[in-house]
Amino acid sequence: MTWTPISAPPGVLPPRPITMRAQSIPARHEFPEHAHDWHQVVYAIDGVLMVTAENRSFVISPDQAVWLPNGIRHRVGSLLGAEFRSLWIAVDAGRNLPSDPTMLAVSPLLKELIVEAAAIEGSQDGDGYPDRIATLILDQLRRAQSLAAGLPWPRGERLLRLCEALYIDPADTRSSYEWAKALGMSSRTLTRQFEAEMGSSLRSWRRRLRLLRAIELLSSGTSVTETAMQLGYGSTSAFVFAFRTEMGSSPHAYMRKTTGGHRASPSARLR
């Protein structure tokens, strides 16, 4: 349950109009709650981030980002580790972007622009190339699809134990009764507390968790067969059927879409 606090890299200047921060977040590390005088886009090119803002905690996959307007107190971490890419954006440059924390779909183009911005951060380029990249990023953020909040994440200690265990091992088959016993509560109490805090049943949340972990694993290059096994499906065909039902396409088709061309992020289905 212990998380280790981490700090931003030293010497990072305020955005003019964009500052890109690239940082690896080790497992169970987090940036403690804080706020900025500028806007921020929270994103990871690899791995899954846990974000808390305005008393809501949720998990986002590599095809999602979170827009945080200036002044919003927030906390960011990763349970298993992530390659964090944070965009600090000047207030004036964030015109026509949301005034509240918002989850955004990350298109392949926006992802590549973020990767390029990280690669050239701090370089001296007299022809204005960094400024053109910044302009393209802002254009893509304004065009990005707004999504419902990502996978809800609990704040209470006992539900945290449950959700962290299932996140680490989504193939865990213990029933709600077995989990209630392990957590020292009745099955009815677990059901009531889970639905009150998470807004869904444990069964529905586990289905959404498997979908998010599938996206994470596939995005990292894990094969469809290995992904199915890690998620606890009895066969590859069972996983492909479940994935197609939720996403509207097979895992292979989904990965082809995410490597090029524009797409409507399937993360909108994580509701």
Side-chain angles (χ1 to χ4, degrees):
M1 299 292 292
T2 302
W3 287 68
T4 301
I6 51 179
S7 303
V12 180
L13 299 175
R16 298 180 182 176
I18 289 180
T19 292
M20 168 63 68
R21 286 175 43 213
Q23 190 168 358
S24 295
I25 300 181
R28 287 188 177 277
H29 282 61
E30 67 172 3
F31 297 98
E33 186 175 76
H34 62 285
H36 302 295
D37 293 330
W38 45 81
H39 308 307
Q40 182 179 12
V41 175
V42 173
Y43 178 61
I45 60 172
D46 184 49
V48 168
L49 296 175
M50 296 184 178
V51 183
T52 298
E54 294 193 330
N55 296 317
R56 292 186 303 147
S57 296
F58 46 90
V59 180
I60 61 170
S61 63
D63 62 348
Q64 302 164 336
V66 176
W67 167 261
L68 296 170
N70 64 305
I72 295 293
R73 297 197 65 80
H74 59 280
R75 188 171 74 248
V76 179
S78 181
L79 182 60
L80 297 182
E83 284 300 316
F84 184 48
R85 299 295 181 267
S86 175
L87 285 77
W88 289 353
I89 299 175
V91 172
D92 288 346
R95 290 188 299 271
N96 301 321
L97 282 162
S99 58
D100 297 309
T102 305
M103 194 169 78
L104 302 174
V106 176
S107 68
L109 175 57
L110 178 55
K111 178 179 180 178
E112 291 305 318
L113 288 169
I114 291 173
V115 169
E116 179 66 5
I120 64 175
E121 178 67 27
S123 63
Q124 300 297 321
D125 194 318
D127 70 354
Y129 178 65
D131 292 336
R132 294 195 294 274
I133 293 295
T135 298
L136 287 171
I137 288 175
L138 291 169
D139 285 344
Q140 284 296 301
L141 289 173
R142 294 186 182 99
R143 297 168 66 89
Q145 177 187 359
S146 298
L147 305 173
L151 182 73
W153 200 253
R155 306 187 77 176
E157 182 177 345
R158 287 195 286 190
L159 292 189
L160 272 173
R161 286 173 55 194
L162 165 61
C163 292
E164 286 191 2
L166 292 177
Y167 181 89
I168 292 170
D169 182 14
D172 190 316
T173 60
R174 278 178 283 182
S175 66
S176 59
Y177 173 81
E178 291 172 310
W179 270 112
K181 186 176 180 180
L183 295 171
M185 61 175 71
S186 69
S187 180
R188 180 176 297 180
T189 298
L190 173 59
T191 298
R192 183 174 65 251
Q193 288 188 3
F194 197 94
E195 292 183 353
E197 185 168 348
M198 308 292 277
S200 69
S201 67
L202 175 57
R203 181 178 181 180
S204 176
W205 186 87
R206 291 176 85 158
R207 175 179 56 80
R208 295 171 64 185
L209 169 66
R210 278 184 165 188
L211 178 60
L212 182 139
R213 290 302 313 274
I215 293 171
E216 177 189 4
L217 290 167
L218 292 169
S219 298
S220 68
T222 305
S223 71
V224 172
T225 298
E226 179 60 26
T227 296
M229 296 302 102
Q230 289 193 36
L231 296 179
Y233 286 92
S235 66
T236 302
S237 59
F239 166 62
V240 171
F241 176 81
F243 192 94
R244 188 190 299 275
T245 299
E246 293 295 328
M247 311 297 277
S249 64
S250 70
H252 285 301
Y254 167 77
M255 290 310 298
R256 285 197 298 270
K257 291 177 183 178
T258 60
T259 56
H262 293 282
R263 62 184 174 91
S265 174
S267 304
R269 296 177 179 266
L270 294 176
R271 297 177 180 168

